[in-house]
Amino acid sequence: MLSTEHARTQVRGIGVSPGRAAGPVAQLAGAIPAPDAADRLPAEADVEAAAAQVAEHATKVADTLNASAAAAHGEAAEILATTAQMAADPTLVTAAQAKVRDERKTPALAVWEAANGVADQLSALGGYMAERARDVRDVRDRIVAGLQGLPMPGIPQLEEPFVLVALDLAPADTALLDPARVRAIVTAEGGPTSHTAILARSLGIPAVVGAAGAVETLEDGRLVLVDGAAGTAVLDPSPEEVAAAEALAAQVRTFDGHGRTSDGHHVQLLANVGEPAGAAKAAEAGAEGVGLFRTEFCFLDRAEEPSIAEQVKEYRKVLSAFPGKKVVVRTLDAGADKPMPFLTDTAEPNPALGVRGLRTSWRNPRILDHQLIAIAEAASAESAEVWVMAPMVATVEDAEDFVAACAKHGLETAGVMVEVPSAALMSGPILARAAFASIGTNDLTQYTMAADRLLGSLASLSDSFQPAVLRMIDATCRGGDQQGRPVGVCGEAAADPAMAVVLVGLGVSSLSMSPRSLPDVAAVLAATSLERCRELAQLALGADSAEHARALVRGQLPVLDELGL
Ligand code: PEP
Ligand code: MG
């Protein structure tokens, strides 16, 4: 959205990574133009040499991405390695070479068409697979740029730090972001759960996504001030505004390992962990434990289930980072945005509403059973306090079955994720069986609002400040209260300091988030009393739109502005 306030030009989007930063705009290197569909090799051309060029440039792209992956860490390294795999995939190269040999298409046109074919197939599959289509198009652009001698698409290589502006970022671009050079990011597309948002947050780069008009309005070289909490990018800020943003950025906040409100009410601040390296980072950041250990990393990109011994080894790596502390292990969440060929049916017309999460154990109880054996074995070898929870629980029976399966393996603290409206509304009876609930606000928002969490165009619905979502959370907390069971939150909402205040006010007793968000959430809670949290929660519950709820809460929390959140 474009607006001119007090004669100032600004674009507005969704703030997905807090912080304020100013710098000159640098737009992402221009898109690679589509080769002319009529391009053919001249009659005298060496067809085999042309076909060989396709393989040569694909290998170059894969090598460059692999080299970047080797120099990167964690999530960035994984994203780069995945994109490199796409470039090295023989399907794409073989299809393109066939077009060169059989149809005498130029190498660039052949790659362009072959990649589009693969990308269209992936898009048609939806969910996580559709996200991979972006990787294929990214690889396509890189190979075609190489073949045509064009500048490689991607992040501008500038000496001075800049604010990166783009229509959207490819995962491999995001993975190469250097926080020392990129002060902030503004994209016209993308939603709160896009790669851009997740990586910007994990790198601590202020970011605004879904800012329509950003590319047209924020011209190369113009000075812009980005507020990654408010979701704005203002052109030509005053020197005072720039100085204030720089002063804020210079403040380093840390977390002392004990979450509490200003009047001393303890709120456990935990970390979300997706792989063993993340556990070490979470412990260093002072997390009081792990509120969501996503075990999918062990299963993704596999042709079959990993062995029990392999699982034990991986789970122990995470548990050993938190001796004596709580670690909530979530059992496999396969399906929808996380398809696993050995377990899920990718031909389902609506994978998000299909056999996913705990439901996959109906037909394949052995996989859940093996995982519970592995978790129990890892738990007995380490001293962490292990809790176990199932994703996508929808009924009382689901909860009962899961608790019974856990008990069979001596896992006594068995809980449920509340991600489906039915579980939120039935939390009383569900928590009469389960030991705790952890609200997955990413999916709970998706299912409450009937809005695909991966679709940037539905970002305004994919907002946990939606009053209907707040009412679901409220209902879950009431169920927990009735049964004397703790209710936590482990979706992205927990990492938003303003939302954290509301959640605590609704009765949530633990918040689990990316380790980077811990200091910000801790600081805002420490400045707010429990009574105030409750008042603000009631204000938000009474609002009639997400925008209104957020504005009401933020307006009553001056600490957010003081801290640049
Ligand atoms: C959620 O849905 O909020 C959640 C934490 O699970 P995931 O993001 O892994 O689906
Ligand atoms: Mg979920």
Side-chain angles (χ1 to χ4, degrees):
M1 199 192 303
L2 172 64
S3 66
T4 306
E5 250 174 41
H6 313 297
R8 299 206 309 175
T9 307
Q10 67 169 358
V11 291
R12 240 172 213 292
I14 306 153
V16 290
S17 179
R20 279 179 217 147
V25 169
Q27 294 223 4
L28 197 70
I32 300 293
D36 189 332
D39 281 351
R40 293 292 178 277
L41 291 169
E44 69 284 4
D46 178 345
V47 172
E48 277 315 309
Q53 273 184 10
V54 170
E56 184 193 316
H57 283 275
T59 308
K60 263 194 207 159
V61 169
D63 289 349
T64 310
L65 288 166
N66 274 325
S68 305
H73 302 280
E75 222 153 347
E78 264 174 51
I79 291 173
L80 287 163
T82 310
T83 313
Q85 263 173 20
M86 293 273 178
D89 187 344
T91 328
L92 173 61
V93 172
T94 312
Q97 286 180 323
K99 287 177 185 289
V100 173
R101 293 194 181 105
D102 305 342
E103 301 169 50
R104 298 192 65 84
K105 288 185 172 159
T106 58
L109 177 62
V111 168
W112 190 268
E113 290 185 353
N116 288 355
V118 177
D120 290 348
Q121 281 170 13
L122 291 170
S123 296
L125 290 173
Y128 171 87
M129 286 312 204
E131 284 231 318
R132 297 268 80 84
R134 165 174 295 285
D135 295 354
V136 175
R137 292 199 189 95
D138 179 23
V139 161
R140 174 198 70 189
D141 289 355
R142 287 166 195 267
I143 301 176
V144 171
L147 283 163
Q148 298 189 326
L150 296 171
M152 231 358 108
I155 310 291
Q157 302 296 317
L158 299 176
E159 293 288 312
E160 295 300 314
F162 55 88
V163 170
L164 181 65
V165 174
L167 197 59
D168 201 359
L169 297 177
D173 290 331
T174 339
L176 285 173
L177 289 176
D178 173 1
R181 290 194 313 129
V182 179
R183 289 216 171 123
I185 302 168
V186 184
T187 64
E189 295 177 354
T193 53
S194 59
H195 275 294
T196 308
I198 292 167
L199 243 119
R201 264 197 300 275
S202 80
L203 292 171
I205 301 176
V208 177
V209 301
V215 173
E216 298 76 18
T217 311
L218 308 177
E219 294 156 355
D220 254 329
R222 295 276 297 270
L223 187 64
V224 65
L225 173 65
V226 178
D227 185 329
T232 55
V234 181
L235 273 179
D236 308 323
S238 68
E240 293 75 31
E241 285 173 314
V242 175
E246 281 168 358
L248 264 179
Q251 287 178 8
V252 180
R253 265 189 297 281
T254 52
F255 173 46
D256 67 4
H258 185 67
R260 56 196 172 282
T261 57
S262 62
D263 50 339
H265 170 72
H266 182 207
V267 180
Q268 256 187 351
L269 296 186
L270 309 165
N272 288 356
V273 164
E275 30 106 40
K281 262 195 240 155
E284 256 169 51
E288 295 180 60
V290 174
L292 169 62
F293 171 23
R294 290 184 168 102
T295 54
E296 292 79 39
F297 79 98
C298 221
F299 295 78
L300 277 170
D301 299 324
R302 294 288 193 123
E304 55 190 44
E305 169 199 11
S307 71
I308 293 177
E310 200 178 330
Q311 292 186 51
V312 173
K313 191 168 142 224
E314 295 300 324
Y315 302 159
R316 284 190 63 180
K317 287 184 196 161
V318 171
L319 301 186
S320 66
F322 287 91
K325 301 214 173 131
K326 167 168 140 184
V327 176
V328 185
V329 185
R330 175 177 75 183
T331 56
L332 186 58
D333 186 21
D337 54 328
K338 310 167 189 108
M340 293 178 202
F342 59 90
L343 194 54
T344 53
D345 174 6
T346 48
E348 283 176 351
N350 286 308
L353 303 180
V355 182
R356 60 163 302 201
L358 180 65
R359 299 168 187 180
T360 58
S361 69
W362 296 348
R363 246 180 300 164
N364 291 288
R366 279 165 57 84
I367 293 183
L368 175 63
D369 223 43
H370 292 164
Q371 190 177 24
L372 293 176
I373 294 172
I375 296 169
E377 211 173 292
S380 63
E382 301 290 341
S383 71
E385 183 193 325
V386 174
W387 294 21
V388 191
M389 65 182 180
M392 290 293 293
V393 166
T395 62
V396 173
E397 195 186 356
D398 280 350
E400 236 164 36
D401 291 350
F402 182 69
V403 170
C406 290
K408 227 172 64 190
H409 299 290
L411 294 162
E412 296 303 336
T413 312
V416 297
M417 283 193 79
V418 171
E419 306 187 275
V420 183
S422 61
L425 299 175
M426 292 296 284
S427 59
I430 285 177
L431 284 170
R433 277 81 170 175
F436 67 96
S438 182
I439 306 178
T441 46
N442 308 336
D443 276 315
L444 185 60
T445 304
Q446 153 163 278
Y447 294 121
T448 303
M449 303 308 297
D452 186 334
R453 61 192 264 187
L454 298 175
L455 271 189
S457 52
L458 297 181
S460 61
L461 294 174
S462 299
D463 185 339
S464 48
F465 262 107
Q466 284 286 352
V469 178
L470 296 176
R471 287 174 196 217
M472 289 292 170
I473 298 170
D474 184 44
T476 312
C477 290
R478 282 167 198 257
D481 207 35
Q482 255 171 34
Q483 307 295 341
R485 304 291 199 195
V487 173
V489 170
C490 64
E492 290 297 319
D496 171 349
M499 179 51 105
V501 164
V502 171
L503 295 172
V504 169
L506 290 174
V508 163
S509 57
S510 66
L511 297 168
S512 191
M513 64 200 80
S514 142
R516 242 192 208 272
S517 302
L518 288 165
D520 293 345
V521 170
V524 173
L525 282 181
T528 316
S529 70
L530 179 59
E531 197 42 43
R532 192 88 187 106
C533 292
R534 289 183 176 143
E535 286 164 12
L536 294 181
Q538 290 312 309
L539 266 185
L541 269 183
D544 49 17
S545 72
E547 229 177 6
H548 188 208
R550 179 180 279 108
L552 279 174
V553 173
R554 292 190 66 87
Q556 301 280 322
L557 286 172
V559 62
L560 293 172
D561 211 41
E562 284 156 28
L563 300 176
L565 301 169

